Structures are given as C-alpha cells and as structure tokens.
Amino acid sequence: MKTSAREQKLQHLYWRAGFGIPFRPDQASPGIKQAVRELLHASGQATPLQVALARTEADPQTDAQNAEMRQQRQRERQQGFVLLNNAWLQQMATSEAQLREKMTLFWHGHFACRLREPRFALLQHNTLRAHALGKFPDLLLAISKDPGMLQFLNNQQNRKQRPNENFARELLELFTLGRGHYTEQDIKEAARAFTGWSYNPQGEFVFRARQHDRGQKTFMGKRGNFGGEDILQMIVENPRTADFLTAKLYAFFVSDVPNPERIKDLSSYFYETGYDIPKLLEKIFRAKWFYGPDVVGTKIKSPIELLAGLQRQFDLTYADGRSPLVLQRALGQELFRPPNVSGWAGGRNWIDSSTLAFRLRIGPALLQEAALEVNLKPDDDTEPTAPRKRRQDGLRTVRAKADLSGLHQQMQEAKERELIEKLSQKLLQVPLQPETAALIQQHIPSGVAHADKVTLLTLRLLSLPEYQLC
Amino acid sequence: MATNSRREFIKMSALASGMLLVPNFLHGLDGGGLPLLASSNGKRLVVIQLSGGNDGLNTVVPYQNDLYYKARPSLAIPSREVLTLEKGLGLNPAMEKLRLLYDQGYVSVLNSVGYPDPDRSHFRSMDIWHSASASDEYLSTGWLGRYLDSLSGPSANYAAIEVDDTLSLALKGAQYTGIAVQDVKRFFQATNDQFLKQAAQLHAQDHTHHQVDYLYKTLIETQQSAGYLQEKTKVYRSKKDYPNGEFARNLKTIAELIASGVESRVYYASLTGFDTHVRQAGQQASLLRELSEGLYSFVDDLKQQQEFDNTVIMVFSEFGRRVAQNASNGTDHGTANNLFLIGGKLKQAGLYNEGPNLQDLDQGDLRYSIDFRNIYATLLHNWLGGDAAGILGGKTQLLTGLI
C-alpha cells in the first residue's frame, strides 16, 4: 500500500476513534489491524479523571438565611465546572487512551445529565469512564445507581406510595429500547421496580427498602416481584436494545446516514458477544467499508471534536480556564452541560449561519493568538447574572497560544510546490479541489520563507469548510 | 473537458458580475414558495424573551388580593403604587410606558400561561418553550424553525432574524434556520471576507461530496443573507430616540430592518437578568423599566413607519416565580406566568383572562390555565398564516378572540 493512502486511513481511524493524530517528528505508520489493536490496548485501563473540587452542596440551614453564602457556593460550583471541563478537554487532547476518551464522550451524550453539583458530575463521569469500554449491561447497572442520574431523573422521589416515572421512561425511551418498543404500562411497572433506588449526601447509592414496592409487576409480558436489576436484565435480553445502541454508535463513529444492513450485522454481533463494546468497535474499525468513500470525511466534527482536535494537533494553551467553555457554548456543545436528557442532536444540527461562520474563524484566530469575541447567552442555571453586570457578562473574549512546530518539522523536507498538497492531506479528511488549492496559493504573498508559508497555508486550510469535516 | 470549461465559465462570470451573490429570491417570483412579506399577508412577529424567569406576580400585580400580600411581606408592591389596569390587576410601577400602550388598546395580557409538569431548570424550561415540546419530550428543532421549514423555498433563509451573536433553538428548523445578527455591518464583514467569498463561489456549482456541498451551501446562503441585509439597511437609520442599553439598541436594529423593507417574518430579541433570587425589587424594576421603555420607543417607531399594524410582539419568560418570597427578599423558580401580546390590530386588547388563582396553588406554585403552545398555534395560524397543526404536532387549540 502506498504510504500516503495508509496515512489517510490512519488519520481517518484516529479522527473517528479519537481526536486526530498529533504532529510528531518520528511517526510510525502501522497497518490498520495493528493500529486498531494499539488503540484498544492504549485504552485498556480506565484511569479516573482527578479534579480537586470544593464542597458545594447546599446546606439548607445556613443557605436559606444567608444569600451571600449561597452566591459564594454558586461561584464555586461554576468554578468546579470550569475545572472539570478543562481537565477532560486536556485528557482528550493529550491522553494516549484516545478511544476511552471518545467512548466516554459518547456515553456522556447518551446518558446525558445536566447536574448542578460538580462533585456529582465528576462521580458520574468516572462511572462512564470506568465502564466505557466494558460490557453494556455493567455500564447500565452502574449508571442506574449513579447519584447524578438518580437525582437528574428524579428517582430520589420515586417511592412506593408515589412512584415517579421519569427514570423508567428515559431508561426505556432514550437509553435502551427506543420509542415504540415498550408500552406506557411497561414504564409504570418499571418505575415501581426502581422505587427506593436512592443515594446519600456522600454520593453513595442507597437502596431504601421501606420505599421499595415489593409487589408483583408485569414487565414486557413477564410477571414477578421484580426489582430494578431484574428490569435491567430483561431490557438487555431484548435484542432491540442492541439494535438501538448499535444504530446510535454507528451514527457517532461512522455516518449520519444509517446503513440498515451494516447496522443489523453489527447489532447481532454486539448481542452475541454479550454487549462487548471493544469487540463491536474493533469490528467497525476493521471493516473495509469503514474506509470507504461514503464514510471518510463525511462527518461534521462536533464542537468538542473540533476543539479537542485543535488542542491536540496545535498544543493550544488557552489564556484562561473560561475560554474553552466560551467556545463550546457558542458552538452548542459544552461538556457536562448537555441540552437535555436526550443529549446533543449532532450532525447537521451543529450548523447554522452563525456557528458555521464562527467555526471558520476559530482555527485561524487561535493559531494566530488573535482575540475571538462572542456575546454568549446567559446560563442562569450555573451562573446567575446580576442584572447590573449583565452587559459585560455576555461578551467574552477568547485567546490561546498555539505551537505549530510539530507540523513545521513534518513539512521541513517538503518541496515548495508540494506543500499545499501535503498540508491539505494532513489537515483535511476530504480532498481539496484543485481550484481551491489554486485560490489559496493566490492569497500567499510570493517570496515568503518556507516556514512562514507552512503557517500561512495552514491558516487558510483551517478557515475552509472542509476542515469542519472528519 | 466540457464540464470543466462550463465550470470555468460560470466561475468567471460569477466573479465578474457578482451574480451568484444576489439572493435567490430576487431572481423573480418563479422560484416556487416565496411567502415573504411583499407577496404574503404582510404580517410579522417579534418575540421578546425575558431570560432568567421573570416574576410575573410583581409584573402584573394582583393588588386587591390579600393572599398576595401575605405571601410577600416585604416584596409585595403596595396597592397605591401599582399602575392599575382592570379586575384587580395592575402593572409594576416601573412600567409606565407599557401602561401608555395598554391604554391605547395595544396590549393584551394573558395570565397563568404554562404547561403540564413544569420544569424548574432555566435551561430545560427554555428548551420546552423554544421547541414547543411536552415536558417529557425532546425535540432538536424550534417552533419558529419549523415554521421556516413549512415556508420552504429560498426565502426561508432569512425569514427569521435574531438580534444576537448566537442563534436560539426556537429559530432552528430541520431544513431552515433563522440567522443571528447583532450588528449587520459586523455580520457582513465577518462572513464576506474576500477569501471565503471566492472559495464559496468555487463551490457554488459543485456537487462532489454531499457534506462539503452542504457546508458551502450554508456558507453561501449566509454570505447572501449578510449581503442582502447590508444592502437593504444601508440607507435607513431610525431617527427615533431610544433609551440607552443593549436591549433598546437591539429593538432599534429590528425597527431599522423592518423600515428598510427587509422581508423577514420573524424577529427575536432577549432581555436577560431576571433570575432574582436575592434583593429582587430594585433589579426587577430596572429591568421592567428597560423593557417597557424600549417597547414604547419601538412601537412609536413602527407606528411612524406605518408598520405597527402589521406587527405583533410577544413577550414571554421561561417560567414565573414562586408565590411566596424567599428569605433573601427575592423569589425562587416557579411555574405559570403572564405573557404580553402587543400590536396595533389585536382583536382583544386588555386582560385576556382572569388573573392567577392564589387560593388553588400546586405546592406553592401557580397552576397554568393557558398552555403556551396554544398561543403559538394562534400566532402561527391567525397571524402568520402558517400550518399550526403541522408545526406543533397537531395537539394544540386556537385561542379565540385574541388576534
């Protein structure tokens, strides 16, 4: 196989399974089989994300009385989410365990909770991280007992006398079977089975036996004195759950355009392996079609893929912790703040006239250390704005420092006339039209030094819509 | 070869004449589906969002109700200060200008507007208002975006304008989205950079890669919309006096777009900072003053342009606040709330329905009596001439005698 074709395949694999390939001087180009094995191996162990967070849980006794204290706690929560966000983004950009980061991001959008307490958000994140590449039934049980999940979907209020159906409904509709594969009665019965699933202030799961409904339930045609575990068990025994998850994984890793035949095939395999996530991913990444023209370069990068990718390939250092959150919010995907329990819609939903115009400016601006300004809409849930200050609060400025030396080194030997072709192959996942290449050349002043030319060409390539695809 | 030279030709002529930058709809009325203002019923909607959850009970005050005064010992507005309307309700004293509009028959007040199983998170409740979903339903499009989808045709690209840097979910459809413009000139400069314009033109006729084409198509539409707005608004500048501040400036921008003959059907602007958990009185008063003074100037401006009769303004917030005040002289997140419609041709100005029932609360919260989606349906059907049932999923009812 020609080296450049192999490199293109590797780039594709690394953009989908991770956040791109960093530009390093002595890069090996293994075959796909070996690269997939290395990816899985590097993500084999789960290391928890470690962030030192202040205790920000409300104290009902003092908080009701003391507004200052409540505001102070609110600021600490906000700061907590900045720390969490930065820490995870940094992991995505630098960790060798690329597949685990990517898969944790998938589950974050799947079991999408918008939590108030940073400590609960970190706990939940580490639960997702720990099980991201395990077997789905284990992940499902762990996340069903996660305090953040129980809180977000009101299972804390789900009691024998007064069942709350919120968790049961989303469990069936959004997490496992999907709409149309259960009845309203199934939801009611499942909710009864989860009564008493609760947590304590330390963030530990607690089964409150006195609030649990021990009576007989009928769930999806079966009768018994079911508890929550039984319901989860029956859900994963239903192959429809494998279909639902596989379709969603296909959309995330492969293409927005579903391919029923491939999905069916993958889903059967997923089910047969007892929902073994790494095995399913290996099958996808090693499929011939994964490197076909209907897949390569056809995904619109999510805002996180775009930003983590820039950080990974150009060693971005933001001027402050808020900056990456500003960009994420302006582009419509803020880590730890999914829009609702159904997660980010993704695909073309990322794009409207303002987000596209902003996306095209981000790469070049950050690489040149230029200020990016944007007026953000308020997020009153995490950062209530004092009305007097609101005008300054909306406007944010983002700055970062970048390092292009890795790319420069890789281009050192390249001949002048090959530069644009070589760079576009490194930076874009779709072929650059010759007309566009010619246009870019026209915009490069003649007689600039080799290194400057690399930089100028890179800035132009990053400002193209093509860079938004992977 | 033939293809190449044809592409070359198109490229050359495009560069020479700028032809491809002319918005599609200007090429004539033969494009199919052009329900813009000039060729439609001429009605437009302006949506004003009060972000943070405006306290409705201190906006439209039930000043003859003892329960109100009991629930808010230090926060209730004394009856002598209230700007009285009818039936025991009156406006917050900071809203003199809105009261002037009310007295002229331009304002309709809808009380107890909400939805079943209300959510107290700002984000989620706003999500529900924007997408017009039920509280256990999740939609990735907004009600006005779906209205744009129903218009279809090239004109839908700028049929809705939000005066802001980023676009709200409300204006995102599956096929069409509104555009967010804080400042027309800046928007034009940002999107019509020479390099990007040329790059876009190279792709105007290409059909090689569906996602690349999609992104370039969006870019070209954005550039065209920006160019169109820039061209249209070059001449007219409002001479009206508006109060200071960003909100009034945004309303002035809308008035200028309207007066310049921009054919958009929907405009959207926000006023933020209503999350008044602490020391509410002064903060809310200054916001309500900013709101009502801004609206007054805006209405005045539109009247002078003979455009007020074609306009309905809807003012809403994601939720109201709890009936009882909290210990910090503020209020916490609540449920149902009031909503204003303002226009020159309302069928029924004044109070549309009774004030909220303070006797029959749901755990300290107001119960809703008008589902907000029925207001949307009425605006879509009676005012914009849209397919309300299709846009809102067919579960809504029209409110009679409103517009």
Side-chain angles (χ1 to χ4, degrees), chain A residues 374-391:
Chain A
V374 62
N375 248 310
L376 281 189
K377 293 186 197 301
D379 178 354
D380 290 303
D381 290 318
T382 47
E383 30 184 72
T385 47
R388 264 166 282 119
K389 293 187 197 146
R390 70 187 176 282
R391 285 185 196 96

Side-chain angles (χ1 to χ4, degrees), chain A residues 64-65 67-68 70-71 114 162 169-170 173-174 179 256-257 296-300 330 339-342 345 348-349 351-354 356-357 360-361 373-375 377-378 380-381 384-385 387-388 390-391 430 433 435-436 439-440 443 460 463-466 468-469, chain B residues 7 11 51-52 121-124 127 136-138 140 162 164-168 172 177-180 182 191 194-196 198-199 202-203 206 208-212 214-216 218-219 222 245-246 271-273 275 277-279 283 287 290 318 326-328 332 363:
Chain A
Q65 309 303 323
E68 307 282 301
R70 210 165 46 180
Q71 282 175 326
R114 211 178 152 92
R162 221 184 149 185
R169 179 178 301 278
E170 307 316 354
E173 179 184 331
L174 298 171
R179 227 170 233 265
D256 299 337
V257 185
V296 176
T298 59
K299 271 192 71 72
I300 296 171
N340 54 54
V341 65
S342 74
R348 292 187 175 181
N349 286 289
I351 301 298
D352 61 57
S353 56
S354 22
L356 179 60
L360 301 183
R361 281 164 54 213
E373 283 198 334
V374 62
N375 248 310
K377 293 186 197 301
D380 290 303
D381 290 318
T385 47
R388 264 166 282 119
R390 70 187 176 282
R391 285 185 196 96
V430 291
Q433 299 278 344
E435 295 92 338
T436 312
L439 175 68
I440 292 178
H443 281 262
R460 291 291 176 192
S463 77
L464 291 175
E466 284 89 332
Q468 303 303 319
L469 298 170
Chain B
R7 185 188 289 170
K11 194 172 78 191
S51 307
S121 142
H122 293 283
F123 196 94
R124 177 61 188 145
D127 198 37
D136 61 355
E137 182 187 19
Y138 307 95
S140 54
E162 176 166 10
D164 205 333
D165 267 359
T166 56
L167 191 70
S168 293
K172 292 182 187 172
T177 60
I179 47 179
Q182 177 100 49
T191 51
Q194 196 202 3
F195 172 73
L196 275 184
Q198 291 172 346
L202 293 175
H203 277 82
D206 279 349
T208 44
H209 184 291
H210 74 283
Q211 286 298 42
V212 175
Y214 167 74
L215 292 179
Y216 272 105
T218 307
L219 177 61
T222 306
E246 188 181 313
L271 178 59
T272 64
D275 196 22
H277 290 279
V278 182
R279 291 186 293 279
Q283 295 171 25
L287 285 167
E290 191 171 357
E318 71 267 37
N326 64 22
S328 316
D332 298 325
Q363 298 174 59

Side-chain angles (χ1 to χ4, degrees), chain A residues 185-229:
Chain A
Q185 194 57 33
D186 288 330
I187 292 176
K188 286 191 168 48
E189 300 286 281
R192 289 176 57 211
F194 286 104
T195 47
W197 283 41
S198 187
Y199 60 90
N200 63 20
Q202 289 76 48
E204 293 156 347
F205 175 76
V206 176
F207 176 68
R208 301 193 195 280
R210 286 169 58 195
Q211 292 168 6
H212 182 68
D213 179 346
R214 300 189 176 278
Q216 195 176 61
K217 294 136 195 138
T218 307
F219 181 72
M220 294 180 18
K222 288 183 186 162
R223 285 168 81 89
N225 295 50
F226 301 135
E229 285 91 345

Side-chain angles (χ1 to χ4, degrees), chain B residues 5-287:
Chain B
S5 58
R6 186 180 136 65
R7 185 188 289 170
E8 282 300 305
F9 173 74
I10 291 165
K11 194 172 78 191
M12 297 281 287
S13 52
L15 285 171
S17 68
M19 178 193 76
L20 293 175
L21 293 181
V22 178
N24 287 332
F25 90 105
L26 289 182
H27 290 311
L29 292 166
D30 54 349
L34 285 165
L36 283 169
L37 273 183
S39 57
S40 70
N41 66 1
K43 307 276 179 25
R44 72 176 73 82
L45 174 68
V46 179
V47 178
I48 305 294
Q49 170 178 311
L50 309 181
S51 307
N54 178 37
D55 179 22
L57 281 174
N58 274 16
T59 304
V60 179
V61 183
Y63 67 94
Q64 289 176 348
N65 195 324
D66 289 343
L67 293 172
Y68 165 71
Y69 289 97
K70 234 177 248 168
R72 300 183 162 198
S74 66
L75 200 58
I77 295 171
S79 58
R80 61 176 189 286
E81 292 175 19
V82 166
L83 310 171
T84 56
L85 303 175
E86 307 151 67
K87 295 179 185 165
L89 296 177
L91 291 174
N92 185 300
M95 302 178 86
E96 282 157 12
K97 295 282 189 167
L98 192 77
R99 163 66 178 271
L100 288 178
L101 296 177
Y102 187 93
D103 288 344
Q104 294 171 78
Y106 296 150
V107 181
S108 178
V109 179
L110 289 83
N111 292 297
S112 309
V113 179
Y115 56 91
D117 302 316
D119 200 295
R120 273 174 234 275
S121 142
H122 293 283
F123 196 94
R124 177 61 188 145
S125 196
M126 199 57 99
D127 198 37
I128 289 167
W129 274 84
H130 279 207
S131 64
S133 71
S135 62
D136 61 355
E137 182 187 19
Y138 307 95
L139 302 177
S140 54
T141 56
W143 70 290
L144 294 166
R146 296 197 295 275
Y147 165 66
L148 299 183
D149 285 342
S150 78
L151 296 177
S152 80
S155 58
N157 285 322
Y158 36 87
I161 296 177
E162 176 166 10
V163 185
D164 205 333
D165 267 359
T166 56
L167 191 70
S168 293
L169 174 64
L171 292 103
K172 292 182 187 172
Q175 296 298 320
Y176 293 94
T177 60
I179 47 179
V181 191
Q182 177 100 49
D183 175 321
V184 171
K185 212 168 138 192
R186 204 154 53 91
F187 181 57
F188 179 77
Q189 285 164 350
T191 51
N192 281 270
D193 149 83
Q194 196 202 3
F195 172 73
L196 275 184
K197 221 157 118 177
Q198 291 172 346
Q201 283 174 44
L202 293 175
H203 277 82
Q205 300 293 323
D206 279 349
H207 296 285
T208 44
H209 184 291
H210 74 283
Q211 286 298 42
V212 175
D213 288 345
Y214 167 74
L215 292 179
Y216 272 105
K217 186 171 152 279
T218 307
L219 177 61
I220 290 168
E221 284 164 3
T222 306
Q223 290 169 339
Q224 289 176 345
S225 302
Y228 166 73
L229 293 177
Q230 167 85 347
E231 191 59 36
K232 276 275 185 186
T233 54
K234 247 194 319 218
V235 192
Y236 178 77
R237 285 286 165 269
S238 171
K239 286 169 201 72
K240 275 277 163 238
D241 274 338
Y242 278 77
N244 290 328
E246 188 181 313
F247 175 68
R249 195 158 60 242
N250 291 346
L251 289 180
K252 191 176 184 182
T253 301
I254 295 178
E256 287 177 349
L257 291 167
I258 290 172
S260 306
V262 168
E263 283 103 334
S264 303
R265 310 287 315 265
V266 175
Y267 294 90
Y268 206 99
S270 302
L271 178 59
T272 64
F274 284 92
D275 196 22
T276 48
H277 290 279
V278 182
R279 291 186 293 279
Q280 171 177 302
Q283 295 171 25
Q284 195 200 17
S286 85
L287 285 167

Side-chain angles (χ1 to χ4, degrees), chain A residues 29-303:
Chain A
S29 296
I32 288 301
K33 194 172 158 184
Q34 196 193 333
V36 171
R37 204 179 299 138
E38 283 172 13
L39 261 172
L40 285 163
H41 180 74
S43 291
Q45 298 298 315
T47 319
L49 191 68
Q50 306 227 0
V51 182
L53 295 168
R55 288 200 76 87
T56 49
E57 286 87 344
D59 176 348
Q61 301 222 306
T62 51
D63 284 36
Q65 309 303 323
N66 192 335
E68 307 282 301
M69 214 133 127
R70 210 165 46 180
Q71 282 175 326
Q72 171 66 18
R73 243 188 267 285
Q74 190 67 34
R75 278 192 293 274
E76 284 170 4
R77 276 191 204 111
Q78 194 185 324
Q79 184 53 28
F81 278 111
V82 170
L83 294 174
L84 285 175
N85 191 305
N86 290 180
W88 192 9
L89 197 61
Q90 179 70 15
Q91 281 292 111
M92 290 176 183
T94 57
S95 166
E96 293 295 318
Q98 285 285 293
L99 187 55
R100 187 167 294 272
E101 301 304 330
K102 199 66 175 268
M103 209 49 217
T104 307
L105 179 62
F106 172 83
W107 294 122
H108 179 43
H110 184 73
F111 295 111
C113 296
R114 211 178 152 92
L115 302 176
R116 199 173 127 87
E117 291 296 339
R119 285 198 329 121
F120 277 28
L122 179 59
L123 263 176
Q124 180 174 84
H125 172 86
N126 281 330
T127 297
L128 296 177
R129 178 175 285 273
H131 295 278
L133 289 169
K135 292 202 168 183
F136 180 72
D138 300 332
L139 169 61
L140 185 63
L141 179 61
I143 197 71
S144 301
K145 291 183 167 181
D146 171 71
M149 176 62 77
L150 294 169
Q151 179 189 62
F152 188 61
L153 293 182
N154 310 102
N155 213 65
Q156 196 81 328
Q157 289 95 48
N158 187 14
R159 292 167 190 168
K160 183 179 174 179
Q161 306 304 331
R162 221 184 149 185
N164 184 308
E165 294 170 7
N166 205 3
F167 174 71
R169 179 178 301 278
E170 307 316 354
L171 172 69
L172 300 183
E173 179 184 331
L174 298 171
F175 301 160
T176 57
L177 294 165
R179 227 170 233 265
H181 298 273
Y182 52 87
T183 64
E184 280 297 306
Q185 194 57 33
D186 288 330
I187 292 176
K188 286 191 168 48
E189 300 286 281
R192 289 176 57 211
F194 286 104
T195 47
W197 283 41
S198 187
Y199 60 90
N200 63 20
Q202 289 76 48
E204 293 156 347
F205 175 76
V206 176
F207 176 68
R208 301 193 195 280
R210 286 169 58 195
Q211 292 168 6
H212 182 68
D213 179 346
R214 300 189 176 278
Q216 195 176 61
K217 294 136 195 138
T218 307
F219 181 72
M220 294 180 18
K222 288 183 186 162
R223 285 168 81 89
N225 295 50
F226 301 135
E229 285 91 345
D230 302 316
I231 299 292
L232 298 179
Q233 181 63 32
M234 284 184 274
I235 286 173
V236 295
E237 276 167 13
N238 186 336
R240 173 59 215 170
T241 295
D243 292 345
F244 181 75
L245 290 168
T246 308
K248 214 167 157 182
L249 284 160
Y250 187 88
F252 186 82
F253 283 103
V254 185
S255 170
D256 299 337
V257 185
N259 180 317
E261 208 177 309
R262 288 176 197 163
I263 292 172
K264 188 69 230 163
D265 184 38
L266 292 169
S267 168
S268 310
Y269 180 72
F270 194 30
Y271 189 74
E272 281 161 22
T273 58
Y275 294 88
D276 190 310
I277 298 160
K279 280 190 178 157
L280 176 69
L281 294 177
E282 187 175 7
K283 193 173 163 75
I284 292 174
F285 298 148
R286 287 185 51 183
K288 197 159 186 268
W289 48 254
F290 184 67
Y291 301 90
D294 66 326
V295 176
V296 176
T298 59
K299 271 192 71 72
I300 296 171
K301 288 175 188 166
S302 67

